[in-house]
Amino acid sequence: MEDRVTRSYARTAKITFYVVAIVVGLLAAVVAASYIHPILALLAGAAIGVGVALPVAGFIAVWPVLRVLWWWTPEILATALVVSGFVVLSTHTNMVVRILIVALVAGVPAGIPVVRRRLIAIGWCLISRHRLRSCFNEFIISNRSGSLPLILWAKPTPVGERVWIWLRPGLSLADLESRLDKIAVACWAANITVERASTRNAAFVRADIKRRDALIGTVTSPLVDLVDPDAPVMPRAAGEAPTALDLPDIPAQRTIPDTDTAPRTTKRAGRNERSDKKPAPAPAPEPAKPGTGDDLLDWV
């Protein structure tokens, strides 16, 4: 796969060189033609285009090498620090002092539990980055060029490590979720979970590698020390615990019917009136008086 990746980046670098050189050269020649002769402007534009295109194409061509250097950056820095420190120590001290200093530097962190656990956790972070890279290299390749995702950084967690990854085109979060069991085996972990690390960019994901369960440890409580050991103990008789429920043992409750038959009152027009009061009958029509000129037959 490395040969295929190298050829792919070399081809991309060549195309990028020609495109950048032509575009930048033409733009520079057009601008320079306003100040110098057109032929000289064309030559100056070509020189500027080549000068700009070479670094860009070179960066693309050596990107596989830069990516490997990025993967091994912590180890390279740690090795350089140890070697440079030992060289300085050898220059200014004798053998006995060097042995004592090396013993202190290596023995003190190993003897302090907190420092020792922290160093071991950092070491597992470095191992997890390389194991994830092996996973992407072996069975999570989903683009034609074979380029691998960029493993950014890692930090220790109470249960393992957390690694941030930048996915390349052709790979998604669903592809990782379908291979979690294989990734856990490759990382020497109990299980692993992946999720998006950004709500705006799906390429930025986070992997949580779990090597232990933080909930099974014994937690000491300071409340135990607050109990007075000389406090008197009150004996308590243990009652018989019920084992079943027998309905005849429950007394039946007597239900008393509502015998209140008094008529209710309703509030109407600001006064209380009895709801059972019958309405008053309508008055009968008065008979027509004689001499008024009205005859009932006229209204029939």
Side-chain angles (χ1 to χ4, degrees):
M1 191 202 70
E2 294 297 334
D3 295 337
R4 184 176 60 181
V5 172
T6 304
R7 290 195 301 268
S8 175
Y9 276 97
R11 183 173 61 254
T12 304
K14 186 183 298 184
I15 296 173
T16 303
F17 172 78
Y18 289 123
V19 172
V20 173
I22 293 173
V23 173
V24 175
L26 290 177
L27 292 177
V30 170
V31 175
S34 302
Y35 302 96
I36 59 178
H37 193 273
I39 297 178
L40 296 178
L42 185 61
L43 295 176
I48 294 174
V50 172
V52 174
L54 276 177
V56 177
F59 178 80
I60 296 176
V62 301
W63 171 249
V65 179
L66 296 178
R67 186 178 58 186
V68 174
L69 292 177
W70 168 259
W71 288 338
W72 292 93
T73 296
E75 290 82 355
I76 294 174
L77 293 178
T79 303
L81 181 62
V82 171
V83 172
S84 60
F86 187 78
V87 170
V88 173
L89 190 64
S90 301
T91 306
H92 297 84
T93 59
N94 53 21
M95 180 63 68
V96 177
V97 176
R98 287 198 298 269
I99 294 176
L100 291 177
I101 293 177
V102 171
L104 290 175
V105 172
V108 171
I112 302 176
V114 177
V115 179
R116 183 178 66 250
R117 287 193 294 267
R118 189 65 179 179
L119 293 177
I120 293 175
I122 294 175
W124 274 113
C125 289
L126 301 178
I127 294 174
S128 297
R129 293 178 75 249
H130 293 293
R131 298 308 299 172
L132 285 175
R133 179 176 59 85
S134 300
C135 293
F136 290 118
N137 190 21
E138 294 296 334
F139 56 86
I140 314 181
I141 301 174
S142 56
N143 51 15
R144 292 183 299 176
S145 62
S147 59
L148 301 180
L150 186 61
I151 302 175
L152 300 177
W153 63 88
K155 76 169 187 177
T157 61
V159 296
E161 302 85 41
R162 175 171 292 176
V163 186
W164 283 266
I165 306 170
W166 188 272
L167 301 180
R168 301 299 302 272
L171 193 63
S172 64
L173 182 62
D175 297 330
L176 299 182
E177 291 177 344
S178 62
R179 298 178 174 91
L180 291 180
D181 52 348
K182 296 181 180 180
I183 299 176
V185 172
C187 293
W188 307 326
N191 55 70
I192 182 173
T193 59
V194 291
E195 60 182 2
R196 293 179 58 173
S198 174
T199 57
R200 296 181 296 178
N201 196 334
F204 190 33
V205 300
R206 181 181 65 199
D208 290 318
I209 302 173
K210 301 178 181 179
R211 304 186 182 278
R212 52 192 171 272
D213 191 357
L215 301 179
I216 61 176
T218 303
V219 179
T220 58
S221 176
L223 299 178
V224 179
D225 299 333
L226 300 179
V227 179
D228 187 6
D230 299 332
V233 179
M234 298 180 61
R236 179 181 299 177
E240 183 179 357
T243 58
L245 179 62
D246 194 0
L247 293 179
D249 296 339
I250 301 177
Q253 296 182 358
R254 183 180 178 183
T255 304
I256 301 175
D258 188 7
T259 58
D260 187 9
T261 58
R264 293 176 298 176
T265 60
T266 58
K267 188 174 183 181
R268 183 181 302 171
R271 295 180 301 174
N272 292 334
E273 298 180 358
R274 300 181 65 87
S275 61
D276 58 346
K277 184 178 180 180
K278 298 181 179 180
E286 297 181 358
K289 297 180 180 181
T292 58
D294 292 335
D295 191 359
L296 294 178
L297 297 177
D298 296 337
W299 298 93
V300 177

